[in-house]
Short mmCIF file of all heavy atoms in Angstrom, two decimals:
data_model
loop_
_atom_site.label_atom_id
_atom_site.label_comp_id
_atom_site.label_asym_id
_atom_site.label_seq_id
_atom_site.Cartn_x
_atom_site.Cartn_y
_atom_site.Cartn_z
N MET A 1469 213.01 5.72 194.41
CA MET A 1469 212.15 6.93 194.01
C MET A 1469 211.49 7.49 195.25
O MET A 1469 211.17 6.75 196.15
CB MET A 1469 211.18 6.40 193.00
CG MET A 1469 210.34 7.55 192.49
SD MET A 1469 209.35 6.97 191.00
CE MET A 1469 209.97 8.12 189.75
N PHE A 1470 211.19 8.77 195.28
CA PHE A 1470 210.57 9.47 196.35
C PHE A 1470 209.28 10.13 195.86
O PHE A 1470 209.10 10.39 194.76
CB PHE A 1470 211.52 10.49 196.93
CG PHE A 1470 212.71 9.89 197.55
CD1 PHE A 1470 213.88 9.76 196.94
CD2 PHE A 1470 212.62 9.30 198.84
CE1 PHE A 1470 215.11 9.19 197.48
CE2 PHE A 1470 213.70 8.73 199.44
CZ PHE A 1470 214.96 8.65 198.72
N TYR A 1471 208.31 10.35 196.90
CA TYR A 1471 206.92 10.70 196.56
C TYR A 1471 206.48 11.87 197.46
O TYR A 1471 207.03 11.98 198.44
CB TYR A 1471 206.05 9.51 196.72
CG TYR A 1471 206.46 8.40 195.82
CD1 TYR A 1471 207.28 7.41 196.20
CD2 TYR A 1471 205.90 8.34 194.54
CE1 TYR A 1471 207.64 6.37 195.38
CE2 TYR A 1471 206.24 7.20 193.72
CZ TYR A 1471 207.14 6.32 194.07
OH TYR A 1471 207.51 5.31 193.29
N SER A 1472 205.54 12.55 196.97
CA SER A 1472 204.76 13.58 197.73
C SER A 1472 203.28 13.13 197.72
O SER A 1472 202.90 12.46 196.92
CB SER A 1472 204.84 15.02 197.09
OG SER A 1472 206.08 15.50 196.99
N VAL A 1473 202.69 13.47 198.95
CA VAL A 1473 201.27 13.07 199.07
C VAL A 1473 200.46 14.37 199.18
O VAL A 1473 200.69 15.19 199.90
CB VAL A 1473 201.08 12.22 200.38
CG1 VAL A 1473 199.57 11.82 200.47
CG2 VAL A 1473 201.94 11.00 200.26
N TYR A 1474 199.34 14.38 198.33
CA TYR A 1474 198.38 15.64 198.37
C TYR A 1474 197.00 15.19 198.55
O TYR A 1474 196.54 14.13 198.16
CB TYR A 1474 198.47 16.25 197.01
CG TYR A 1474 199.95 16.76 196.55
CD1 TYR A 1474 200.70 15.86 195.85
CD2 TYR A 1474 200.34 17.92 196.96
CE1 TYR A 1474 202.00 16.36 195.46
CE2 TYR A 1474 201.53 18.54 196.46
CZ TYR A 1474 202.39 17.52 195.82
OH TYR A 1474 203.63 18.05 195.50
N ALA A 1475 196.21 16.11 199.25
CA ALA A 1475 194.85 15.91 199.46
C ALA A 1475 194.11 17.01 198.85
O ALA A 1475 194.46 18.17 199.15
CB ALA A 1475 194.38 15.77 200.94
N TYR A 1476 193.19 16.80 197.88
CA TYR A 1476 192.45 17.78 197.17
C TYR A 1476 191.06 17.71 197.53
O TYR A 1476 190.39 16.68 197.48
CB TYR A 1476 192.64 17.71 195.58
CG TYR A 1476 194.09 17.74 195.19
CD1 TYR A 1476 194.71 16.63 194.87
CD2 TYR A 1476 194.70 18.96 195.00
CE1 TYR A 1476 196.02 16.66 194.35
CE2 TYR A 1476 195.97 19.05 194.43
CZ TYR A 1476 196.59 17.97 194.20
OH TYR A 1476 197.89 17.89 193.70
N GLN A 1477 190.43 18.88 197.92
CA GLN A 1477 188.94 18.95 198.18
C GLN A 1477 188.43 20.15 197.71
O GLN A 1477 188.93 21.24 197.90
CB GLN A 1477 188.84 18.83 199.68
CG GLN A 1477 187.41 18.57 200.17
CD GLN A 1477 187.35 18.32 201.66
OE1 GLN A 1477 188.29 18.01 202.29
NE2 GLN A 1477 186.15 18.37 202.19
N ASP A 1478 187.26 20.08 197.00
CA ASP A 1478 186.62 21.23 196.40
C ASP A 1478 187.52 22.02 195.45
O ASP A 1478 187.56 23.19 195.36
CB ASP A 1478 186.08 22.12 197.47
CG ASP A 1478 184.92 21.34 198.27
OD1 ASP A 1478 184.19 20.58 197.69
OD2 ASP A 1478 184.86 21.66 199.47
N GLY A 1479 188.44 21.24 194.66
CA GLY A 1479 189.32 21.93 193.72
C GLY A 1479 190.53 22.71 194.41
O GLY A 1479 191.20 23.40 193.83
N LYS A 1480 190.75 22.40 195.73
CA LYS A 1480 191.84 23.08 196.43
C LYS A 1480 192.74 22.09 197.21
O LYS A 1480 192.22 21.00 197.56
CB LYS A 1480 191.37 24.09 197.42
CG LYS A 1480 190.50 25.26 196.89
CD LYS A 1480 190.00 26.09 197.96
CE LYS A 1480 189.03 27.12 197.35
NZ LYS A 1480 188.42 27.90 198.41
N THR A 1481 194.01 22.35 197.19
CA THR A 1481 194.86 21.41 198.10
C THR A 1481 194.59 21.76 199.48
O THR A 1481 194.71 22.87 199.98
CB THR A 1481 196.33 21.73 197.74
OG1 THR A 1481 196.47 21.62 196.29
CG2 THR A 1481 197.26 20.75 198.50
N VAL A 1482 194.17 20.72 200.25
CA VAL A 1482 193.89 20.93 201.74
C VAL A 1482 195.08 20.41 202.56
O VAL A 1482 195.20 20.82 203.62
CB VAL A 1482 192.51 20.21 202.12
CG1 VAL A 1482 191.39 21.01 201.49
CG2 VAL A 1482 192.58 18.75 201.77
N CYS A 1483 195.91 19.60 201.92
CA CYS A 1483 197.08 19.02 202.66
C CYS A 1483 198.09 18.55 201.74
O CYS A 1483 197.88 18.08 200.63
CB CYS A 1483 196.73 17.97 203.56
SG CYS A 1483 198.03 17.51 204.72
N GLU A 1484 199.38 18.93 201.96
CA GLU A 1484 200.61 18.40 201.22
C GLU A 1484 201.59 17.87 202.19
O GLU A 1484 201.92 18.54 203.10
CB GLU A 1484 201.09 19.54 200.36
CG GLU A 1484 202.38 19.17 199.64
CD GLU A 1484 202.96 20.39 198.81
OE1 GLU A 1484 202.38 21.53 198.78
OE2 GLU A 1484 204.10 20.28 198.37
N ILE A 1485 202.00 16.64 201.88
CA ILE A 1485 203.02 16.08 202.67
C ILE A 1485 204.22 15.70 201.89
O ILE A 1485 204.05 14.97 200.91
CB ILE A 1485 202.57 14.82 203.39
CG1 ILE A 1485 201.44 15.14 204.34
CG2 ILE A 1485 203.70 14.11 204.26
CD1 ILE A 1485 200.66 13.93 205.04
N ALA A 1486 205.35 16.28 202.21
CA ALA A 1486 206.70 16.00 201.56
C ALA A 1486 207.72 16.40 202.46
O ALA A 1486 207.52 17.19 203.43
CB ALA A 1486 206.72 16.73 200.18
N THR A 1487 208.91 15.90 202.26
CA THR A 1487 210.09 16.53 203.11
C THR A 1487 210.85 17.40 202.17
O THR A 1487 210.77 17.37 200.99
CB THR A 1487 211.01 15.30 203.52
OG1 THR A 1487 211.40 14.59 202.35
CG2 THR A 1487 210.27 14.47 204.39
N VAL A 1488 211.49 18.33 202.85
CA VAL A 1488 212.23 19.31 202.11
C VAL A 1488 213.41 18.65 201.36
O VAL A 1488 214.16 18.00 201.93
CB VAL A 1488 212.75 20.48 202.99
CG1 VAL A 1488 213.65 21.46 202.24
CG2 VAL A 1488 211.59 21.18 203.68
N GLY A 1489 213.41 18.80 200.07
CA GLY A 1489 214.63 18.41 199.23
C GLY A 1489 214.45 17.08 198.47
O GLY A 1489 214.91 17.03 197.37
N ARG A 1490 213.64 16.12 199.02
CA ARG A 1490 213.54 14.92 198.24
C ARG A 1490 212.23 14.18 198.17
O ARG A 1490 211.85 13.45 197.38
CB ARG A 1490 214.60 13.95 198.56
CG ARG A 1490 214.49 13.34 199.92
CD ARG A 1490 215.71 12.42 200.16
NE ARG A 1490 215.35 11.55 201.26
CZ ARG A 1490 216.18 10.69 201.73
NH1 ARG A 1490 217.25 10.33 201.06
NH2 ARG A 1490 215.86 9.89 202.80
N GLY A 1491 211.31 14.28 199.17
CA GLY A 1491 210.15 13.50 199.26
C GLY A 1491 210.19 12.40 200.17
O GLY A 1491 211.17 12.12 200.87
N LEU A 1492 209.16 11.55 200.06
CA LEU A 1492 208.91 10.40 201.07
C LEU A 1492 209.20 9.12 200.38
O LEU A 1492 209.01 8.98 199.19
CB LEU A 1492 207.46 10.36 201.52
CG LEU A 1492 207.07 11.53 202.31
CD1 LEU A 1492 205.52 11.53 202.45
CD2 LEU A 1492 207.75 11.63 203.64
N PRO A 1493 209.75 8.11 201.01
CA PRO A 1493 209.93 6.77 200.50
C PRO A 1493 208.53 6.19 200.25
O PRO A 1493 207.52 6.72 200.87
CB PRO A 1493 210.60 6.02 201.61
CG PRO A 1493 211.27 6.94 202.48
CD PRO A 1493 210.42 8.24 202.35
N ALA A 1494 208.37 5.27 199.38
CA ALA A 1494 207.08 4.75 199.02
C ALA A 1494 206.23 4.23 200.19
O ALA A 1494 205.01 4.59 200.21
CB ALA A 1494 207.34 3.51 197.96
N LEU A 1495 206.80 3.46 201.11
CA LEU A 1495 205.94 2.97 202.22
C LEU A 1495 205.44 4.12 203.04
O LEU A 1495 204.27 4.16 203.45
CB LEU A 1495 206.78 2.02 203.10
CG LEU A 1495 206.04 1.38 204.26
CD1 LEU A 1495 204.81 0.71 203.88
CD2 LEU A 1495 206.89 0.56 205.04
N ASP A 1496 206.25 5.22 203.39
CA ASP A 1496 205.85 6.31 204.11
C ASP A 1496 204.77 7.03 203.41
O ASP A 1496 203.75 7.45 204.02
CB ASP A 1496 206.93 7.19 204.35
CG ASP A 1496 207.96 6.64 205.42
OD1 ASP A 1496 207.60 5.80 206.10
OD2 ASP A 1496 209.07 7.05 205.45
N ALA A 1497 204.82 7.09 202.05
CA ALA A 1497 203.80 7.92 201.29
C ALA A 1497 202.49 7.11 201.41
O ALA A 1497 201.51 7.76 201.51
CB ALA A 1497 204.30 8.03 199.87
N VAL A 1498 202.55 5.84 201.30
CA VAL A 1498 201.26 5.04 201.48
C VAL A 1498 200.70 5.18 202.80
O VAL A 1498 199.39 5.48 202.96
CB VAL A 1498 201.51 3.59 201.08
CG1 VAL A 1498 200.29 2.76 201.50
CG2 VAL A 1498 201.93 3.31 199.71
N LEU A 1499 201.44 5.22 203.88
CA LEU A 1499 200.95 5.36 205.22
C LEU A 1499 200.25 6.70 205.39
O LEU A 1499 199.29 6.95 206.05
CB LEU A 1499 202.05 5.08 206.30
CG LEU A 1499 202.61 3.65 206.24
CD1 LEU A 1499 203.80 3.60 207.18
CD2 LEU A 1499 201.51 2.67 206.53
N PHE A 1500 200.95 7.80 205.00
CA PHE A 1500 200.53 9.15 205.04
C PHE A 1500 199.16 9.34 204.21
O PHE A 1500 198.19 9.94 204.63
CB PHE A 1500 201.48 10.16 204.60
CG PHE A 1500 202.42 10.59 205.61
CD1 PHE A 1500 203.85 10.31 205.52
CD2 PHE A 1500 202.06 11.25 206.75
CE1 PHE A 1500 204.75 10.68 206.48
CE2 PHE A 1500 203.01 11.64 207.76
CZ PHE A 1500 204.34 11.36 207.62
N ALA A 1501 199.13 8.72 203.00
CA ALA A 1501 197.88 8.80 202.30
C ALA A 1501 196.76 8.17 203.04
O ALA A 1501 195.64 8.63 202.97
CB ALA A 1501 198.20 8.01 200.92
N ARG A 1502 196.90 7.05 203.69
CA ARG A 1502 195.75 6.34 204.46
C ARG A 1502 195.43 7.27 205.65
O ARG A 1502 194.20 7.46 205.74
CB ARG A 1502 196.42 5.09 205.05
CG ARG A 1502 196.57 3.98 204.01
CD ARG A 1502 196.98 2.72 204.75
NE ARG A 1502 197.19 1.67 203.70
CZ ARG A 1502 197.75 0.54 203.94
NH1 ARG A 1502 198.20 0.21 205.15
NH2 ARG A 1502 197.79 -0.42 203.03
N ASP A 1503 196.31 7.92 206.23
CA ASP A 1503 195.96 8.84 207.31
C ASP A 1503 195.13 10.04 206.74
O ASP A 1503 194.15 10.54 207.22
CB ASP A 1503 197.17 9.45 208.00
CG ASP A 1503 197.94 8.36 208.88
OD1 ASP A 1503 197.25 7.21 209.22
OD2 ASP A 1503 199.04 8.54 209.20
N LEU A 1504 195.59 10.59 205.55
CA LEU A 1504 194.85 11.68 204.92
C LEU A 1504 193.38 11.28 204.58
O LEU A 1504 192.50 11.99 204.73
CB LEU A 1504 195.53 12.19 203.80
CG LEU A 1504 196.83 13.07 204.08
CD1 LEU A 1504 197.55 13.50 202.87
CD2 LEU A 1504 196.40 14.33 204.90
N ARG A 1505 193.31 10.00 204.07
CA ARG A 1505 191.86 9.52 203.73
C ARG A 1505 191.06 9.42 204.89
O ARG A 1505 189.83 9.71 204.84
CB ARG A 1505 191.97 8.24 202.98
CG ARG A 1505 192.57 8.29 201.60
CD ARG A 1505 192.52 6.94 200.81
NE ARG A 1505 193.26 7.06 199.68
CZ ARG A 1505 194.39 6.50 199.33
NH1 ARG A 1505 195.03 5.70 200.15
NH2 ARG A 1505 194.99 6.73 198.22
N ASP A 1506 191.61 9.08 206.11
CA ASP A 1506 190.84 9.10 207.32
C ASP A 1506 190.45 10.53 207.70
O ASP A 1506 189.30 10.78 208.15
CB ASP A 1506 191.65 8.38 208.38
CG ASP A 1506 191.75 6.97 208.22
OD1 ASP A 1506 190.85 6.36 207.42
OD2 ASP A 1506 192.62 6.30 208.79
N GLU A 1507 191.44 11.38 207.61
CA GLU A 1507 191.19 12.84 208.05
C GLU A 1507 190.29 13.70 207.17
O GLU A 1507 189.51 14.49 207.58
CB GLU A 1507 192.55 13.48 208.22
CG GLU A 1507 192.43 14.85 208.94
CD GLU A 1507 193.83 15.39 209.31
OE1 GLU A 1507 194.79 14.64 209.31
OE2 GLU A 1507 193.91 16.68 209.56
N PHE A 1508 190.42 13.32 205.88
CA PHE A 1508 189.65 14.12 204.84
C PHE A 1508 188.94 13.12 204.00
O PHE A 1508 189.34 12.82 202.87
CB PHE A 1508 190.63 15.00 203.96
CG PHE A 1508 191.46 15.96 204.69
CD1 PHE A 1508 192.75 15.71 205.04
CD2 PHE A 1508 190.88 17.18 205.18
CE1 PHE A 1508 193.50 16.63 205.67
CE2 PHE A 1508 191.59 18.13 205.68
CZ PHE A 1508 192.87 17.87 206.06
N PRO A 1509 187.70 12.52 204.55
CA PRO A 1509 187.11 11.44 203.74
C PRO A 1509 186.56 11.85 202.37
O PRO A 1509 186.44 10.99 201.53
CB PRO A 1509 186.01 10.95 204.74
CG PRO A 1509 185.85 12.05 205.74
CD PRO A 1509 187.22 12.82 205.77
N SER A 1510 186.24 13.07 202.23
CA SER A 1510 185.64 13.44 200.89
C SER A 1510 186.68 14.04 199.99
O SER A 1510 186.35 14.41 198.88
CB SER A 1510 184.53 14.49 201.12
OG SER A 1510 185.08 15.68 201.67
N ALA A 1511 187.98 13.93 200.39
CA ALA A 1511 189.14 14.48 199.53
C ALA A 1511 189.61 13.47 198.58
O ALA A 1511 189.49 12.20 198.81
CB ALA A 1511 190.20 15.06 200.40
N VAL A 1512 190.21 13.97 197.44
CA VAL A 1512 190.94 13.06 196.57
C VAL A 1512 192.43 13.06 197.06
O VAL A 1512 193.02 14.15 197.15
CB VAL A 1512 190.87 13.51 195.09
CG1 VAL A 1512 191.81 12.69 194.21
CG2 VAL A 1512 189.32 13.51 194.68
N VAL A 1513 192.93 11.87 197.37
CA VAL A 1513 194.29 11.75 197.92
C VAL A 1513 195.18 11.21 196.75
O VAL A 1513 194.90 10.16 196.24
CB VAL A 1513 194.37 10.94 199.13
CG1 VAL A 1513 195.91 10.82 199.60
CG2 VAL A 1513 193.53 11.57 200.27
N ALA A 1514 196.30 11.90 196.51
CA ALA A 1514 197.12 11.48 195.43
C ALA A 1514 198.53 11.30 195.87
O ALA A 1514 199.06 12.10 196.64
CB ALA A 1514 197.11 12.57 194.23
N ILE A 1515 199.15 10.31 195.51
CA ILE A 1515 200.73 10.07 195.66
C ILE A 1515 201.34 10.26 194.32
O ILE A 1515 201.04 9.52 193.33
CB ILE A 1515 200.95 8.58 196.17
CG1 ILE A 1515 200.20 8.34 197.43
CG2 ILE A 1515 202.39 8.40 196.36
CD1 ILE A 1515 200.23 6.89 197.90
N LEU A 1516 202.19 11.38 194.26
CA LEU A 1516 202.84 11.69 193.07
C LEU A 1516 204.36 11.63 193.31
O LEU A 1516 204.95 11.86 194.33
CB LEU A 1516 202.43 13.10 192.71
CG LEU A 1516 200.98 13.23 192.48
CD1 LEU A 1516 200.54 14.80 192.31
CD2 LEU A 1516 200.42 12.47 191.35
N PRO A 1517 205.10 11.48 192.18
CA PRO A 1517 206.54 11.60 192.24
C PRO A 1517 207.03 12.97 192.75
O PRO A 1517 206.36 13.97 192.40
CB PRO A 1517 207.03 11.40 190.84
CG PRO A 1517 205.89 10.61 190.19
CD PRO A 1517 204.66 11.14 190.81
N ALA A 1518 208.01 12.90 193.73
CA ALA A 1518 208.52 14.16 194.20
C ALA A 1518 209.22 14.93 193.10
O ALA A 1518 209.84 14.38 192.17
CB ALA A 1518 209.44 13.88 195.37
N LYS A 1519 209.15 16.20 193.30
CA LYS A 1519 209.79 17.12 192.30
C LYS A 1519 211.27 17.24 192.47
O LYS A 1519 211.78 17.19 193.59
CB LYS A 1519 209.17 18.50 192.35
CG LYS A 1519 207.77 18.47 191.98
CD LYS A 1519 207.18 19.87 191.96
CE LYS A 1519 205.70 19.80 191.75
NZ LYS A 1519 205.10 21.10 191.88
#
């Protein structure tokens, strides 16, 4: 299964990480989510199934 990572702040998407076509493997999604939490400490970071 593949995933996309999103950071939401003040009701807006401030960052979206995905690859074109399929998304990220689970481990990569977790690593990107950790980086986003460091970069946007007040944002809600979500890992969702890729579309």
Side-chain angles (χ1 to χ4, degrees):
M1469 184 170 240
F1470 294 98
Y1471 301 90
S1472 297
V1473 182
Y1474 301 89
Y1476 301 99
Q1477 189 169 346
D1478 298 325
K1480 299 177 185 173
T1481 303
V1482 292
C1483 188
E1484 174 184 351
I1485 298 174
T1487 57
V1488 175
R1490 68 177 194 178
L1492 301 168
L1495 180 59
D1496 290 341
V1498 170
L1499 295 175
F1500 277 113
R1502 287 181 183 169
D1503 290 344
L1504 285 176
R1505 286 185 189 111
D1506 290 341
E1507 190 171 341
F1508 301 100
S1510 63
V1512 174
V1513 177
I1515 300 172
L1516 302 172
K1519 295 178 184 178

